[in-house]
Amino acid sequence: MNFEHRLVSALFDQGLTDDQLERAREMAEERGVKLTDALVHLQMVDPLVLARITAEQLGVEFLESLEIDEIVVDLSADLPVSFAKGYKILPLWERDGVIQVAVADPMDLGRLDALRMNFDRPLEPVAMPDGPLMDAINVIFDRRAAADQVMSDIADEQVISSEEDIAQIDISDADADDEAPIIRLVNAILNQALKERASDIHIEPFERHIAVRFRVDGVLHEKLQPPKRFHASISSRLKVMAGLDIAEKRIPQDGRIKIKVSGKEIDIRLSTLPTSFGERIVMRLLDKTAVLKDLSTIGMAGDVLRDINNLILSSYGIILVTGPTGSGKTTSLYASLAKINSPVRNIITVEDPVEYQIGGIGQVQVNTKVGLTFAAGLRSILRQDPDVVMIGEIRDGETAEIAIQASLTGHLVFSTLHTNDAASAVTRLVDMGVEPYLVSSSVIGMMAQRLVRTLCDACKRPVVPTEAELEQLSLTREQLLQQTQGGHVFEAVGCQECLDNGYRGRTGIYELLVVDDDIRQLIMQNLPSSTIKKRAIKKGMRTLRDDGALKVMKGETSIAEVLRVTQDDLLDLEGG
């Protein structure tokens, strides 16, 4: 049995009829096209199903879609875009000495033969549907074109003089014609990062190229791949701007850069790290002119907002905010302080670093080089007659002990801990050496939080969730129908408005555990955090995943996004 017979037989198993096959054959003969093209044109066969069956019959791998970041861009570096689009072919990656190549038609071996002259290794076809393959080709070559455009004027590797005064430079008003090429490249990267609302810029050297990635709404996206020969110049330029030693490449360095863009002051924290292929650079971007957010605008609502507003008006006690790095803890603390800030209260903070200036509040910057640690700073500010104290982070037993003593002597203390959920804050303090009775006497509230990306309003689309998805969110179909229109939630799509991410901006999800007499007894008995959490849930506490589920039903975020950021929350409950 030849290939066409095997393919037709497989399509009959999928529901193709004799009449449909006859009509498709007539069209194929009349127009001089392949039988498979006629079947797709007449909408008798789904292109995705056809591509999968074709791959199965040929015994080649099938890919329904591609993660663009996995593609080795270097493999297509010398490939003309007209060739890739015309032949519908794209080199993907190398495995065991064989280059795997995505092709729309794995039967056309001539396409692979045309590509062989570019490589000195064997090629292996991987079947892909036309649509996803062309999308991948467009993304890869658009990215390459953008890189070529930015770097087209860079003709040498000269290092910028360290004597240049660039402590304050407005990169948006700079005259590109008068700038050195490397300065233009660095400024282009900074401008693009700010345009895309990036919080971090990663510049990572590899063997043959540099990867420039932006973290937007908590997720990294690769944006540029300058040639490796530019790495030394880019690194030196950024070190000069941050006031670092450009000759020192063996040890990590930290510095700061201040720039102005369109009248906005941007503070950049820069960190270098030596790696096998050169210095890795990460920059954190902070908008110094950003307006402090209110508690009601960062995702808090209903009973969580009510309870946190009651807690921050307490005259003494400790309020702890927990979560991993980048979960918005500092933003929540600043919003809380801004809410209670008034001339009748003396509020002092000790932070590392001071990210935003708040009028009317004394803010102390940690400086370990001169011995100004969190513990030392906390001791000093307690002699400044404060009403409210904010400690950027409780990192050790000494800081924890001082914070607890401060709360027991009539101060309201805010701080953060790195724990997965609210109840684990108790365990962390005990592990630091704090006695359980002191924890129960001082802590009045613990709040865990995460940031979830919010769906782009311009392109999000309604979907009906599966039973498995509802089960993961601990929702029933009846609850969904009561809370939404038609039982629909929304999923990410991607458009020009959101730079094809499907998301635009972030909001918080929260788990607030208010310490009442019942919870206080459990803490004094030094019971596991899982026991405390289960008791709090019985008393009405919403977990992170529960709060995420509410935001899914409101259409603010997607099920996939909530599951992505609350996986540890599910594990905590299962483990308990």
Side-chain angles (χ1 to χ4, degrees):
M1 186 184 293
N2 64 24
F3 175 76
E4 183 174 304
H5 282 113
R6 295 202 312 273
L7 182 63
V8 168
S9 176
L11 290 174
F12 276 136
D13 292 340
Q14 295 291 322
L16 184 69
T17 66
D18 287 324
D19 289 343
Q20 290 175 325
L21 179 62
E22 188 59 34
R23 284 176 55 203
R25 279 186 169 147
E26 289 176 1
M27 171 181 275
E29 291 177 9
E30 182 182 324
R31 300 191 180 183
V33 297
K34 294 180 182 177
L35 174 62
T36 51
D37 291 339
L39 287 167
V40 171
H41 181 78
L42 292 170
Q43 297 182 345
M44 295 173 177
V45 177
D46 183 271
L48 190 62
V49 173
L50 178 62
R52 183 182 291 109
I53 292 175
T54 302
E56 288 173 357
Q57 296 301 318
L58 289 173
V60 301
E61 185 179 346
F62 173 75
L63 284 177
E64 185 173 326
S65 61
L66 275 172
E67 290 291 335
I68 301 299
D69 289 342
E70 293 179 0
I71 298 175
V72 181
V73 181
D74 279 358
L75 292 177
S76 61
D78 298 323
L79 199 66
V81 63
S82 57
F83 179 92
K85 290 184 175 181
Y87 281 85
K88 295 182 180 178
I89 191 166
L90 180 67
L92 300 178
W93 42 67
E94 184 177 344
R95 290 176 181 164
D96 300 324
V98 177
I99 294 176
Q100 294 190 300
V101 181
V103 290
D105 185 0
M107 296 175 59
D108 189 349
L109 298 180
R111 302 185 183 202
L112 281 181
D113 290 336
L115 188 64
R116 288 185 201 282
M117 65 183 67
N118 287 57
F119 300 100
D120 56 0
R121 285 149 290 176
L123 305 182
E124 181 180 282
V126 175
M128 270 198 72
D130 269 19
L133 177 57
M134 293 305 292
D135 288 344
I137 290 172
N138 286 330
V139 170
I140 289 296
F141 285 92
D142 286 350
R143 181 184 293 174
R144 199 173 79 186
D148 290 342
Q149 183 176 355
V150 172
M151 296 178 291
S152 62
D153 295 331
I154 301 176
D156 55 47
E157 300 178 35
Q158 294 178 356
V159 175
I160 309 305
S161 169
S162 61
E163 297 177 359
E164 184 179 1
D165 181 15
I166 48 175
Q168 291 277 358
I169 177 171
D170 190 333
I171 63 174
S172 62
D173 296 333
D175 184 355
D177 293 334
D178 296 332
E179 291 178 329
I182 290 296
I183 298 179
R184 291 207 300 278
L185 175 59
V186 170
N187 286 355
I189 292 171
L190 293 173
N191 263 318
Q192 188 64 23
L194 293 165
K195 180 181 177 183
E196 296 189 18
R197 303 176 296 106
S199 61
D200 302 82
I201 303 171
H202 292 231
I203 300 176
E204 303 159 318
F206 295 101
E207 187 174 5
R208 290 182 292 176
H209 71 280
I210 311 166
V212 178
R213 300 195 290 171
F214 296 165
R215 188 179 294 280
V216 181
D217 294 332
V219 178
L220 281 169
H221 303 273
E222 187 168 304
K223 294 296 178 181
L224 203 64
Q225 283 201 357
K228 181 63 181 292
R229 65 182 183 274
F230 298 134
H231 178 254
S233 301
I234 293 171
S235 176
S236 295
R237 167 63 179 172
L238 288 168
K239 282 183 174 181
V240 170
M241 294 177 73
L244 302 180
D245 183 354
I246 64 172
E248 182 55 78
K249 301 179 181 180
R250 301 164 299 172
I251 60 173
Q253 297 187 69
D254 295 306
R256 300 183 86 128
I257 301 172
K258 289 185 178 180
I259 59 175
K260 286 183 181 177
V261 182
S262 303
K264 289 185 178 180
E265 286 189 10
I266 307 297
D267 192 11
I268 301 173
R269 287 183 289 168
L270 181 143
S271 170
T272 71
L273 181 71
T275 68
S276 301
F277 299 112
E279 287 183 291
R280 193 176 187 273
I281 297 172
V282 174
M283 292 176 279
R284 167 66 57 89
L285 279 59
L286 298 170
D287 184 356
K288 303 298 285 188
T289 60
V291 178
L292 279 175
K293 295 178 180 175
D294 187 79
L295 288 169
S296 60
T297 65
I298 58 175
M300 292 187 195
D303 50 355
V304 172
L305 182 60
R306 180 200 66 212
D307 290 343
I308 198 70
N309 277 326
N310 290 335
L311 285 174
I312 64 177
L313 291 175
S314 303
S315 56
Y316 61 89
I318 297 180
I319 299 172
L320 295 171
V321 182
T322 77
T325 301
S327 59
K329 299 188 298 294
T330 303
T331 299
S332 294
L333 289 177
Y334 279 153
S336 300
L337 293 180
K339 183 86 173 179
I340 61 174
N341 186 19
S342 72
V344 300
R345 282 194 181 92
N346 182 19
I347 303 175
I348 309 178
T349 73
V350 52
E351 307 170 57
D352 183 22
V354 175
E355 294 190 11
Y356 298 101
Q357 299 290 341
I358 310 176
I361 292 179
Q363 295 173 268
V364 177
Q365 169 79 51
V366 165
N367 188 346
T368 54
K369 292 180 181 178
V370 297
L372 183 53
T373 61
F374 275 116
L378 183 52
R379 277 199 201 91
S380 298
I381 64 178
L382 288 175
R383 293 192 286 269
Q384 292 282 314
D385 186 31
D387 298 297
V388 179
V389 173
M390 193 268 271
I391 314 162
E393 181 186 346
I394 294 179
R395 295 179 178 174
D396 51 49
E398 184 182 10
T399 308
E401 289 281 2
I402 302 168
I404 284 174
Q405 291 303 322
S407 71
L408 295 175
T409 53
H411 302 87
L412 181 61
V413 180
F414 293 87
S415 192
T416 69
L417 281 173
H418 287 285
T419 64
N420 286 338
D421 61 1
S424 296
V426 174
T427 308
R428 181 61 53 86
L429 290 175
V430 172
D431 288 345
M432 289 180 180
V434 180
E435 292 293 337
Y437 76 90
L438 287 175
V439 177
S440 67
S441 302
S442 57
V443 177
I444 60 174
M446 299 169 282
M447 183 173 72
Q449 67 176 78
R450 299 289 189 277
L451 291 177
V452 294
R453 293 178 292 171
T454 51
L455 289 163
C456 172
D457 288 329
C459 64
K460 66 181 182 182
R461 67 181 171 207
V463 291
V464 178
T466 64
E467 292 298 331
E469 289 173 327
L470 290 176
E471 184 179 351
Q472 286 179 300
L473 290 182
S474 301
L475 288 176
T476 64
R477 187 72 63 183
E478 291 72 23
Q479 287 175 312
L480 187 68
L481 288 168
Q482 289 173 2
Q483 297 291 328
T484 62
Q485 289 187 347
H488 290 94
V489 296
F490 290 86
E491 67 176 2
V493 179
C495 66
Q496 190 173 359
E497 291 286 325
C498 59
L499 303 173
D500 286 325
N501 292 326
Y503 298 92
R504 186 173 178 84
R506 288 188 289 178
T507 188
I509 57 175
Y510 303 92
E511 174 182 295
L512 180 59
L513 198 166
V514 178
V515 180
D516 58 15
D517 290 340
D518 192 14
I519 299 296
R520 197 167 286 117
Q521 286 297 320
L522 298 181
I523 296 173
M524 286 187 69
Q525 295 171 41
N526 200 18
L527 293 174
S529 60
S530 57
T531 303
I532 297 172
K533 182 171 186 173
K534 287 179 179 178
R535 181 67 61 87
I537 292 172
K538 285 182 180 178
K539 295 170 71 68
M541 182 186 80
R542 280 204 306 269
T543 65
L544 288 166
R545 186 161 288 196
D546 293 339
D547 200 33
L550 289 177
K551 288 179 170 58
V552 167
M553 290 189 289
K554 290 179 181 178
E556 296 177 17
T557 190
S558 67
I559 291 176
E561 181 67 5
V562 171
L563 296 179
R564 179 181 72 87
V565 301
T566 61
Q567 191 59 45
D568 51 4
D569 185 46
L570 183 64
L571 293 174
D572 287 341
L573 283 174
E574 290 176 344

